[in-house]
Amino acid sequence: MLPAIMLDNVSLSYHSMDGETKAVSELSFSVSEGEFVSVVGPSGCGKSTILSMLAGLLTPEKGSVTIEGNIGYMLQKDHLLEWRSIRKNALLGLEIQKKVTKEEEAYVDMLLKQYGLWEFRNHAPSQLSGGMRQRAALIRTLAVQPDILLLDEPFSALDYQTRLSVADEIGKIIRKERKTALLVTHDISEAISLSDRVIVLSARPATVKNIYEITLSTEEKSAMKAREAPEFREYFNKIWKELDVHV
């Protein structure tokens, strides 16, 4: 498959009154079209910086970033607007892009129906559970029909039990919609259970330490079922050791 995302020898530093801080250094990896890839690394290693470069919010000092397609960005918080209904929140991206048509509204309504939020379409965000809010945030992202989804720890604000079920649910939606996805997470289990590949970064400045192809002996591609696979623990232990700076 053709690469939808490519970073080639990318470096970026932050500059302040205290001096220069190298965020990423000579970083290279790619994500194929339709692939789900996770990026894990030590805290503060530059994971979110990578997403910011891919979204065009930051420009690398060295190297190149290539994106083939339109981008949708899903953040840690859902950022739903309380004064708008769930349906109107789902339409927000289209409104900003001035692309609201009857056809686009019908597409959003289809997503709300397909993913269990239609009966809550006129509710305020505060009337929904955390998991339902994240589902609404994903529908808002999908509404503009992006080719590529950038996911910046979108489940981190949820409690553990909700996080498991929502990650499983959203992972299935992304695969069903056949989107290319790049997930940044500090949760190793989440990365393994959702991904085709896991990219392990070094401590700052981030470089690629290792890349794991995830192959699990489960009948269905499910984040919940993946954790039951015998290979899951082996992947977890290997990645854990990669991230343990004391090993």
Side-chain angles (χ1 to χ4, degrees):
M1 287 188 179
L2 295 173
I5 296 172
M6 182 175 290
L7 290 89
D8 185 18
N9 204 34
V10 167
S11 296
L12 177 70
S13 298
Y14 292 107
H15 301 271
S16 68
M17 296 294 290
D18 297 323
E20 179 183 81
T21 301
K22 290 185 177 181
V24 298
S25 178
E26 299 182 355
L27 183 73
S28 296
F29 68 82
S30 64
V31 180
S32 297
E33 191 176 307
E35 192 178 23
F36 196 126
V37 172
S38 288
V39 175
V40 299
S43 180
C45 75
K47 297 186 293 296
S48 292
T49 297
I50 293 168
L51 293 189
S52 293
M53 288 191 292
L54 291 172
L57 303 175
L58 293 173
T59 303
E61 297 169 326
K62 177 184 175 184
S64 63
V65 174
T66 304
I67 297 289
E68 296 293 341
N70 301 318
I71 285 177
Y73 206 142
M74 193 169 173
L75 301 168
Q76 294 178 22
K77 295 182 179 180
D78 58 63
H79 293 290
L80 297 175
L81 302 179
E82 189 58 34
W83 59 89
R84 294 175 68 102
S85 68
I86 292 303
R87 185 177 185 273
K88 286 189 175 295
N89 267 287
L91 288 166
L92 183 60
L94 289 167
E95 286 182 23
I96 291 170
Q97 295 182 12
K98 298 182 180 179
K99 292 181 178 178
V100 179
T101 64
K102 288 184 179 180
E103 291 77 14
E104 297 298 339
E105 286 193 63
Y107 178 64
V108 168
D109 289 345
M110 182 274 291
L111 291 173
L112 289 168
K113 290 172 184 175
Q114 190 163 7
Y115 300 121
L117 289 179
W118 180 246
E119 64 181 288
F120 303 98
R121 65 191 181 280
N122 295 320
H123 285 51
S126 61
Q127 296 177 286
L128 272 62
S129 67
M132 292 171 76
R133 289 176 65 114
Q134 284 302 92
R135 210 185 314 159
L138 177 61
I139 289 172
R140 179 185 59 198
T141 304
L142 293 174
V144 296
Q145 302 194 47
D147 304 297
I148 299 165
L149 292 175
L150 303 180
L151 310 169
D152 190 359
E153 300 198 49
F155 318 119
S156 61
L158 304 173
D159 64 79
Y160 180 72
Q161 193 65 35
T162 304
R163 180 173 183 146
L164 283 177
S165 60
V166 172
D168 186 61
E169 189 175 67
I170 287 181
K172 287 178 180 176
I173 292 171
I174 290 171
R175 290 190 182 279
K176 185 173 183 180
E177 297 296 324
R178 298 181 179 179
K179 302 299 182 183
T180 303
L182 183 66
L183 168 70
V184 159
T185 180
H186 65 272
D187 189 318
I188 299 172
S189 295
E190 189 171 271
I192 297 167
S193 63
L194 287 169
S195 306
D196 300 306
R197 289 187 297 142
V198 175
I199 297 170
V200 182
L201 301 181
S202 67
R204 191 176 64 211
T207 59
V208 175
K209 198 171 184 181
N210 212 335
I211 300 177
Y212 289 88
E213 299 272 352
I214 305 299
T215 305
L216 301 173
S217 55
T218 50
E219 291 184 9
E220 61 175 294
K221 194 70 175 181
S222 160
M224 298 285 268
K225 289 288 185 183
R227 296 163 192 258
E228 301 172 7
E231 303 89 353
F232 184 89
R233 178 56 56 184
E234 184 179 349
Y235 283 122
F236 185 96
N237 290 338
K238 286 180 178 179
I239 295 172
W240 175 267
K241 288 179 180 177
E242 295 269 15
L243 295 177
D244 189 345
V245 296
H246 302 295
V247 173

